[in-house]
C-alpha cells in the first residue's frame, strides 16, 4: 500500500571525519522516501526552489517515487550545512537557509488521496496537522519531530501527537517531551499524549518500540510492552546524516508492504528500520540508499537476526 | 563446573534518588558470586577485616558459596561510599578506604584447585596475573578491569589480557583501552591484545560480544563477529551498584553450568548476564540477588527473548 510522506527536500553540505560534500540532495523526506521505496510505493509532498532540476528528479524517479507533490517555488531550495567532526552522534549546524521552505504550504495532489499510510516527517507541527487533517482516511499515520518543536511549539505538537499511531523520535527527544529522565517512565508519558506506539531510536544501540497498554486485552493502565531491535556494529560511520529518516523509511515502508500489521510484521519492520539506517551511514548523503537491491537488504536483515537471536 | 572468583568483598554506603543505605555487604566478588551461585558452585578468594562476621558469612553460605578463600586480616574491610544522584549511569565516589585490601595477597585454598572456571574481578592486574598463574589448568578464564588500571597500570594489565579467554568491560573502558572511538575498531584492537572474546557492557542498552576472527575457519584477520543482548527497560533503577558484576556472574555462571561452550550456550549466557544485571538494580545493594530462585530467573530470561526475537 502507498505511503504519502510530507517533509523537507533539501541540499546539504556536510563534513565528517571521513570527508565532505557540497550541496547534495538530502532532507528528511528524501532519505525517508528512498529507504521506503524498496518496500512500497511512495509519494512525496515538499517544496523546492528553482535550483532543483532534472538531476535531482531523476534520483526520485529511478525509485518510482511519485513527486507530483513536490512544488516548485520561486527562490532557492532549503539548504543545511553541518558537521560531525567531534561527535558522530550529534550534528553541529553551521548554516540553515530555509529559503522556499519558509513559506511551505503543503498541497496534496488528488492522486495521493488514496494513500493508506501517511508519514509526517520532522516539520512545523502546524503543517503536520494540516496534512493529517486533509487525509482523514489513512489507515496508519506515523511521525517524527525534534527538540526545537518540543521546546518552543509544544501546544501545536501536542495536537499532532493526539492524532498519531506511531511516533518515532530519539532518546533525548523522548526525555525532553516527557520531562522525565527514566526512559520507560518517559515512554509511558509520551504514550499518554496520543501515540499508540512510540519508537525510540538509540543510534548505535538500536531502537526500542514501546506499546501503549491495551486495556481491552487486560493490560493494566501502567503496563508497558516493548520490543528492542539492534543496530549493526559498524567499523566506519561515513556520514550519520539521515540515519533516523532512513530508519523511519525502512520501518514504515515495510509495514506498508504488509497486508496485516501483526505483532510479527511490526517486529520485522523494526529490524528493516535498523537495516536501512545501517546502509544510509555507510556512504555520504543518500548515495548508499540510491544503489541497493532487495537481496542486499534481506541479507542484512538476516545479519540482524543472527546478531540478536539465540538460535 | 565450579568457578573460582578473586576480587573485592567490601562494605558500601550508597545514595541514589530512591534512597540510601549504610555499610552493606558489597564488592565485585560478592555481586559476582551471588549472581553466579544460581547456576553453579562458586568459590571466593578475597580479604576482609575483623568487622566481617557471621551475618555476612551467612549471606554467602545461604547460596552454598565456598568462602574458605576469604582471608580474615587484622583491620577493617574495604569500604566504599558513593552516590548516583545526578546520573544513574555513573557513580560519584565520596570515600574509598582500602583498609585490609591494601595488603591483599591472594591465597588459593587447595580445595579450589580443581575449579575449571576462573573469574578475575576488577582488582590490581598484578594480583589478577598471580592468581591466573597459580591456576594454570582452568578451562576458561574471564576478567574485568576499570579505567584506573587502564590508564595507570597498562603494562601489568596487558600481561593479564594476554592470558584471558573473555574480557568484560564497558563502552568507555573499551574505547580507553584501545585508544579508538569507534566501538568496532576499538573491539578489534582489544581482541588483538589477547582475549578471544570481548563483552562490552552498554548499561541500559544491553551488551555486545565481539569474537576474535577464527582464521582456522576462514575468517579474515580483520573480520569480526558479534552478538547483541538486550537490557530490560526498567521503570525504576533503585541502585545501579554491582550491575556489571552481576552481569558477569550470570554470564559466567551460566557458561560454567554447560557441558560444552557452544555458540548457543554463549548466546544464552549473554542473556543470563543481562537478566542478573536487571535483577541487581531493582533493589538496594545485593538484596534482590540474595532472594531469587531459578524459576524467576528463567521467567525473566523468556522476557528477554520476547523483547528481542522476531517470532
Amino acid at each position: 500500500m502507498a505511503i504519502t510522506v510530507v517533509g523537507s527536500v533539501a541540499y546539504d553540505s556536510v563534513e565528517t571525519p571521513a570527508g565532505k560534500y557540497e550541496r547534495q540532495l538530502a532532507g528528511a523526506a528524501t532519505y525517508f522516501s528512498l529507504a521506503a521505496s524498496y518496500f512500497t510505493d511512495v509519494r512525496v509532498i515538499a517544496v523546492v526552489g528553482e535550483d532543483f532540476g532534472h538531476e535531482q528528479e531523476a534520483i526520485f524517479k529511478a525509485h518510482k517515487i511519485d513527486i507530483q507533490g513536490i512544488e516548485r517555488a520561486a527562490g532557492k531550495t532549503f539548504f543545511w550545512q553541518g558537521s560531525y567532526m567531534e561527535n558522530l552522534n550529534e550534528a553541529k549546524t553551521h548554516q540553515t537557509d530555509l529559503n522556499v521552505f519558509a513559506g511551505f504550504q503543503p498541497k496534496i495532489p488528488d492522486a495521493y488521496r488514496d494513500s493508506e499510510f501517511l508519514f509526517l516527517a520532522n516539520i512545523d507541527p502546524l503543517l503536520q496537522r494540516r496534512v493529517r487533517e486533509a487525509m482523514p482516511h489513512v489507515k496508519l499515520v506515523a511521525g517524527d519531530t525534534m527538540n526545537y518543536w518540543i521546546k518552543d511549539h509544544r501546544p501545536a505538537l501536542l495536537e499532532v501527537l493526539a492524532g498519531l499511531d506511531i511516533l518515532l523520535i530519539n532518546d533525548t527527544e523522548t526525555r525532553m517531551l516527557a520531562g522525565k529522565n527514566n526512559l520507560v517512565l518517559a515512554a509511558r508519558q509520551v504514550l499518554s499524549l496520543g501515540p499508540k506506539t512510540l519508537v525510540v531510536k538509540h543510534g548505535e544501540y538500536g531502537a526500542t518500540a514501546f506499546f501503549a497498554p491495551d486495556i481491552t486485552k487486560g493490560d493494566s493502565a501502567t503496563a508497558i510492552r516493548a520490543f528492542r531491535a539492534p543496530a549493526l556494529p559498524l567499523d566506519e560511520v561515513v556520514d550519520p546524516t539521515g540515519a533516523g529518516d532512513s530508519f523511519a523509511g525502512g520501518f514504515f515502508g515495510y509495514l506498508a508492504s504488509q497486508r496485516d500489521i501483526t505483532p510479527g510484521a511490526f517486529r520485522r519492520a523494526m529490524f528493516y528500520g535498523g537495516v536501512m539506517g545501517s546502509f544510509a551511514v555507510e556512504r555520504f548523503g543518500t548515495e548508499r540508499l540510491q544503489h541497493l537491491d532487495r537481496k542486499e537488504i534481506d541479507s542484512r536483515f538476516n545479519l540482524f537476526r543472527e546478531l540478536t537471536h539465540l538460535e
Side-chain angles (χ1 to χ4, degrees), chain A:
Chain A
M1 285 170 284
I3 299 175
T4 287
V5 52
V6 58
S8 58
V9 170
Y11 286 112
D12 279 1
S13 290
V14 170
E15 187 174 11
T16 83
K20 59 197 276 186
Y21 56 93
E22 301 284 341
R23 299 189 66 77
Q24 292 298 308
L25 182 69
T30 304
Y31 280 103
F32 177 93
S33 58
L34 285 171
S37 71
Y38 291 96
F39 303 95
T40 195
D41 293 335
V42 186
R43 301 152 172 184
V44 186
I45 301 172
V47 63
V48 293
E50 293 150 333
D51 51 358
F52 183 91
H54 291 298
E55 197 190 326
Q56 288 74 37
E57 273 185 15
I59 293 173
F60 290 100
K61 287 184 176 166
H63 291 82
K64 300 192 171 42
I65 297 166
D66 193 333
I67 57 169
Q68 53 178 302
I70 299 188
E71 180 194 348
R72 306 294 183 97
K76 282 184 163 185
T77 300
F78 181 20
F79 172 72
W80 180 76
Q81 185 179 10
S83 68
Y84 305 83
M85 296 310 283
E86 273 147 47
N87 182 354
L88 277 167
N89 295 313
E90 205 176 346
K92 191 170 169 180
T93 293
H94 299 291
Q95 195 175 335
T96 305
D97 300 334
L98 288 179
N99 297 332
V100 296
F101 207 73
F104 182 33
Q105 296 295 340
K107 293 171 198 68
I108 301 161
D110 282 342
Y112 286 18
R113 295 200 175 265
D114 65 349
S115 304
E116 298 200 47
F117 286 69
L118 174 63
F119 189 76
L120 309 170
N122 169 34
I123 50 170
D124 187 333
L126 288 177
L127 302 184
Q128 291 181 314
R129 186 180 161 204
R130 202 171 306 158
V131 173
R132 174 68 186 94
E133 287 176 352
M135 299 186 71
H137 302 302
V138 292
K139 179 173 155 186
L140 203 74
V141 52
D144 189 5
T145 191
M146 69 182 290
N147 49 9
Y148 173 71
W149 310 114
I150 295 171
K151 252 181 76 193
D152 297 336
H153 294 73
R154 196 174 180 89
L157 180 61
L158 291 179
E159 294 200 45
V160 173
L161 296 184
L164 282 189
D165 293 299
I166 305 168
L167 175 66
L168 295 99
I169 50 181
N170 69 26
D171 286 74
T172 309
E173 291 155 355
T174 303
R175 293 185 164 112
M176 186 185 283
L177 181 55
K180 288 180 198 297
N181 198 42
N182 176 286
L183 192 64
V184 176
L185 296 182
R188 198 176 285 158
Q189 170 71 16
V190 170
L191 290 172
S192 78
L193 301 175
K196 293 176 195 69
T197 301
L198 169 67
V199 175
V200 183
K201 296 169 285 183
H202 310 309
E204 67 173 314
Y205 299 117
T208 305
F210 294 99
F211 307 102
D214 184 347
I215 46 175
T216 66
K217 287 187 180 157
D219 287 352
S220 82
T222 57
I224 202 149
R225 289 165 296 125
F227 180 69
R228 295 202 133 168
L232 192 66
L234 291 169
D235 62 8
E236 187 181 28
V237 171
V238 169
D239 177 14
T241 311
D245 302 312
S246 306
F247 180 100
F251 166 79
F252 212 49
Y254 180 78
L255 271 190
S257 76
Q258 299 295 294
R259 208 166 53 104
D260 294 308
I261 297 170
T262 61
F266 190 95
R267 287 165 175 243
R268 290 190 299 277
M270 290 284 291
F271 270 51
Y272 278 112
V275 163
M276 299 311 287
S278 76
F279 279 125
V281 303
E282 284 182 347
R283 299 277 187 282
F284 287 114
T286 60
E287 189 189 325
R288 191 76 172 100
L289 291 187
Q290 289 185 45
H291 305 288
L292 284 166
D293 59 51
R294 188 60 191 265
K295 207 176 137 195
E296 276 180 291
I297 292 169
D298 284 332
S299 154
R300 183 157 296 186
F301 180 93
N302 290 332
L303 203 59
F304 272 61
R305 179 196 285 264
E306 276 175 43
L307 189 66
T308 51
H309 280 47
L310 290 168
E311 57 279 315

